[in-house]
Amino acid sequence: MRTYSFLTVLLWSCMFHAIHMMPSQKRTNKHLRSERITGLSENDGKTLHRTKRGWMWNQFFLLEEYTGPDTQYVGKLHTDQDKGDGNLKYILTGDGAGSLFIIDENTGDIHAAKKLDREEKSLYVLRAKAIDRKTGRQVEPESEFIIKIHDINDNEPKFTKDMYTASIPEMSGVGTSVIQVTATDADDANYGNSAKVVYSILQGQPYFSVDPETGLIKTALPDMSRENREQYQVVIQAKDMGGQMGGLSGTTTVNITLTDVNDNPPRFPQSTYQFSSPESAPPGTPLGRIKANDPDVGENAEIEYSISNGDGSDMFDIVTDKDTQEGIITVKKHLDFENKMLYTLRVEATNTHPDPRFLQLGPFKDMAFVKISVEDIDEPPVFSRPWYLIEVDEDAKEGSIIGQVVAQDPDITKNAIKYSVDRHTDLDRIFNIYSGNGSLFISKPLDREETPWHNITVIASEINNPKQSSQIPVFIRILDINDHAPEFAKYYETFVCENAKAGQLIQTVSAVDKDEPPRGHRFFFELVPEFAVHPNFSIVDNKDNTAGIMTRRNGYSRSKMSTYLLPVIIFDNDYPIQSSTGTLTIRVCACDSRGNMQSCNAEALLLPAGLSTGALVAILLCIIILLVLVVLFTALKRQRKKEPLIISKDDVRDNIVTYNDEGGGEEDTQAFDIGTLRNPEAREESKMRRDVIPETIFQIRRTAPLWENIDVQDFIHRRLKENDLDPAAPPYDSLATYAYEGNDSIANSLSSLESLTTEGNQDYDYLSDWGPRFKKLADMYGGEDSDRD
């Protein structure tokens, strides 16, 4: 049988000075009573007995922030096995063992090595052992105990915010909650009064109060007005130790704003306002502003203005400026000084968002009178109508009066007025007006088909002050007169088939008319009297402004008659009746069995019946090629004929005509006959000019005989005049030469062409007497050996 000895449990004692200040109920001790445990052992079934273990403390208390000269004594660790001979050693483990808490291993005394802060750690859990030094075995099981840090009042209360902001409607009742402030204390709330906070108000009385336990701020005065004071600053203090002397405290600031409520009606600063307006002010013109004062703000100060009564409520209007809350008085209708010179308005200003809680204070609106005087100005003339419409027949005679416009001066002076037509609206000056009475009359003929409407502007001006003028539109409608005859609506390409039958419709015709009768057009169709009974065709009026062309016989032949002309008379039904004759050209064509046109050319009949389409195309191409060759040959031949008579290097113009061609002999009939120029007595024949192509539209002109003109200058002048007046002259500048030498020459002929008719040698010695200009001739003919040379 194994016998287990029961060790006396650890005895704890607190020997430090603060232990006597602690209440006795805070100490924790347990009295272990002797218990007897009965049971059978596995070996021998003997009864086991638990012996008394003595006293034990499992919790120590230690003050925080100890500032004494020595280390703070915590307690003593001891076992009944300790005989005092130093054989046992005490060991401490757990929170802070060896650093914060030190144990004397011989005696078991525990000390705090450092100053402790309960706010950092409020309790420490440690474990103690008793070990035999010789054997190293535990003489007692390991025991756990707690060291709890006792709090001291070393932390002041702190608010959750350094500054609070709150608002409350003005006019709130007493006790209305504003805001709740909260302060916390880091000290132990379960030990003493270190963490018991009490609230108080340091600033903000008598307007507000604070609940000392909850920190709830409430109103303390009734009917606080925002208009009197809007901002309040309240200072709240939180003090621990239940507010007792020596407690620590903290403060915070609460900014409280009174919000606006609509507790003030609008009020006009004066009862009467006066404004003036010229009578020419157009509708919408602002005349002035009025404002009712409302000390409220925001939507509580929004005001609606209205005209509730007065003799000018229909002439004026008032609108609210949303930005400034002013009432703007405007002109609603045109004013007339001559009609009324003074208006009185009753204007009301009303809050748009009244608060039902304050309706008992009175109506939230105010009233004021507005007087408006109308100023007289020189106004332009006023027409009796906003516009005029005049209708006139298009055959109205020039000078006929077609209508009248009337205007008058609206002023009291009634100045005289003159009328005129704005010529920018009547550029053709078709209409005119009598300046004295405004009667309009026609200056030129009218044509409805050209211009059915005329829109002109008439101006009325004061004679004494022409700047005062007004304009009025006049719309002139030209009424239609039946002055145009109807005609075919378009050009009709009508054909009849060779195999047509009698009574067959070959064309439907219609007509148009530039006139516009009020009852609409009605046209009638018939053949001209000479063709009333046409052997080939007839016309049938369809009674709907169309007519049908019908055949009257069977079969038509292109070889006999390829085209028929059918004159048709078209009448209208207006007054006076107008008519016109239109001629239809009806071609005879070859058609297939269904009446579709195939060919209308008469030449097609001459072609062999067996030629195909390809053969016809080849023949046409050959004909075209031959025509082109003929045209080219003719053009080349004509170009050769147009070459100049003489080509000279000194000729500076291509269009200079020279007449010094000697001709091509007796057979040359195209050479220019210069004999007529040399002999003025020769009668001029009707010859065409060879330098221009004669036009058939001009008749051949015969020139007057010149045999009486023996003077060279007069001859040339006549020639120039004829050339200038000649309509067949070329359209370009040309040079005409006239080789007229006169009748005789005292020098006779210098030519040697007639030398064969004379006998002997001629004497040219006189040439030397003519001067230096004839020196060359004198040298050639004047010498003796000249003939030989």
Side-chain angles (χ1 to χ4, degrees), residues 119-186:
E119 285 70 36
E120 291 182 4
K121 192 174 181 64
S122 61
L123 58 87
Y124 296 86
V125 178
L126 298 173
R127 289 177 296 277
K129 297 179 182 179
I131 299 176
D132 190 335
R133 292 178 182 272
K134 295 179 181 181
T135 63
R137 298 175 60 185
Q138 293 185 14
V139 297
E140 291 283 355
E142 186 180 63
S143 179
E144 183 178 278
F145 64 95
I146 296 174
I147 299 177
K148 187 174 183 180
I149 309 302
H150 261 186
D151 183 46
I152 63 172
N153 191 15
D154 58 343
N155 292 280
E156 72 277 4
K158 291 184 179 180
F159 286 92
T160 56
K161 295 182 180 179
D162 294 336
M163 180 177 293
Y164 291 84
T165 301
S167 62
I168 185 175
E170 63 173 334
M171 308 299 291
S172 297
V174 177
T176 302
S177 299
V178 179
I179 191 174
Q180 185 176 14
V181 297
T182 303
T184 59
D185 196 324

